[in-house]
Amino acid sequence: MDISIIQKLIQLQALNNVSQLSSSKQDSNNSLFSSLFTNELNNVSSSSSNLNQIINVPQPTLSYGETVVQLLGKNISTAVQPVINQLSTVISPTNSKSDYTKSQFDDIINEMAKKYDVDPKLVHSIIQHESNYNPNATSHAGAKGLMQIMPLNFEAYGITNPYDPRQNIEAGTRMIKANLRQYNGNVELALAAYNAGSGNVKKYGGIPPFKETQTYVRKVTESYFA
């Protein structure tokens, strides 16, 4: 029995289940996968007289996205590709729950907080709500690392590896210190600028009327002043 054929069957069936998340294309997806699955099943039938060999075959490790595309070929249906792209983003390792704890970064946070005269508790509160202490976090907007630094700030703050905790925390601490200085120590305005940019704080004369920013400021300040 060619194990690769069994892997194809399992992966096709798994992808079929995922594709049903897109209800608007469900009928066409079902038709596509039905055809692909039937073809592979016929291949199994022609290559082996004993279909019972499929039983107890270890399920292959499925690397979502790239492996599936390689499996089905470059001419994969445009109806299925968006589903694969969505799945690859949702279960991306950079979006997974952090296995790190705040104590692992205490030394760096205390060092940078002292260096730039920022309350370490404020740095902790920002990290908690930015990345939940996951140094590998990446947002949909492209912000990276513990303090979610945007790429446009890498050069200015000397960041060569945004996922390096020391580089990331130092840059984020410098940024929040600059904001605190600009807004005369007003933590809420400093956090609003950290989240939405100082341009928006100036434009709206305070915390911008963005739900995301308002929620961010509220949650971080609640943690900080708790």
Side-chain angles (χ1 to χ4, degrees):
M1 166 68 69
D2 186 349
I3 297 301
S4 66
I5 296 178
I6 299 174
Q7 291 177 334
K8 289 182 180 181
L9 290 173
I10 295 173
Q11 291 178 319
L12 285 170
Q13 185 61 52
L15 191 56
N16 183 28
N17 293 335
V18 172
S19 71
Q20 294 179 8
L21 294 173
S22 179
S23 58
S24 63
K25 298 183 179 69
Q26 183 171 346
D27 292 339
S28 61
N29 287 348
N30 286 342
S31 176
L32 170 64
F33 281 107
S34 176
S35 175
L36 289 170
F37 193 85
T38 300
N39 289 339
E40 293 300 336
L41 189 60
N42 290 335
N43 289 337
V44 174
S45 300
S46 63
S47 62
S48 174
S49 59
N50 186 8
L51 292 180
N52 290 329
Q53 293 183 55
I54 295 178
I55 300 175
N56 295 327
V57 173
Q59 184 170 346
T61 300
L62 179 61
S63 176
Y64 292 93
E66 181 180 359
T67 300
V68 176
V69 172
Q70 291 174 347
L71 170 67
L72 298 180
K74 295 183 178 179
N75 294 324
I76 186 169
S77 167
T78 55
V80 179
Q81 188 63 55
V83 179
I84 295 176
N85 292 341
Q86 180 182 25
L87 182 61
S88 299
T89 300
V90 170
I91 65 172
S92 170
T94 60
N95 295 326
S96 61
K97 183 179 179 181
S98 175
D99 293 325
Y100 296 85
T101 60
K102 60 182 297 184
S103 61
Q104 292 177 263
F105 306 104
D106 274 342
D107 290 344
I108 300 176
I109 290 173
N110 289 335
E111 177 187 345
M112 298 306 168
K114 182 178 180 179
K115 182 176 181 179
Y116 296 103
D117 190 26
V118 176
D119 189 340
K121 187 176 180 181
L122 177 58
V123 179
H124 271 293
S125 297
I126 293 172
I127 292 176
Q128 178 184 338
H129 293 283
E130 288 285 0
S131 66
N132 192 29
Y133 293 95
N134 181 359
N136 300 312
T138 300
S139 75
H140 293 296
K144 303 179 187 297
L146 288 165
M147 298 190 75
Q148 291 291 274
I149 311 298
M150 291 294 288
L152 59 86
N153 292 312
F154 290 173
E155 184 176 356
Y157 288 93
I159 295 177
T160 57
N161 178 10
Y163 300 114
D164 175 70
R166 175 172 291 276
Q167 291 187 36
N168 196 283
I169 292 174
E170 179 164 18
T173 304
R174 286 177 60 190
M175 291 171 66
I176 195 65
K177 174 61 179 180
N179 291 347
L180 287 168
R181 186 183 298 114
Q182 180 176 354
Y183 300 109
N184 300 314
N186 187 310
V187 174
E188 292 186 342
L189 291 181
L191 290 171
Y194 191 92
N195 179 264
S198 58
N200 280 316
V201 174
K202 181 179 180 180
K203 177 180 178 180
Y204 294 101
I207 300 175
F210 309 144
K211 183 177 180 180
E212 176 188 346
T213 300
Q214 293 180 345
T215 299
Y216 174 81
V217 172
R218 176 176 56 80
K219 287 185 175 181
V220 176
T221 53
E222 284 177 354
S223 298
Y224 176 48
F225 292 114

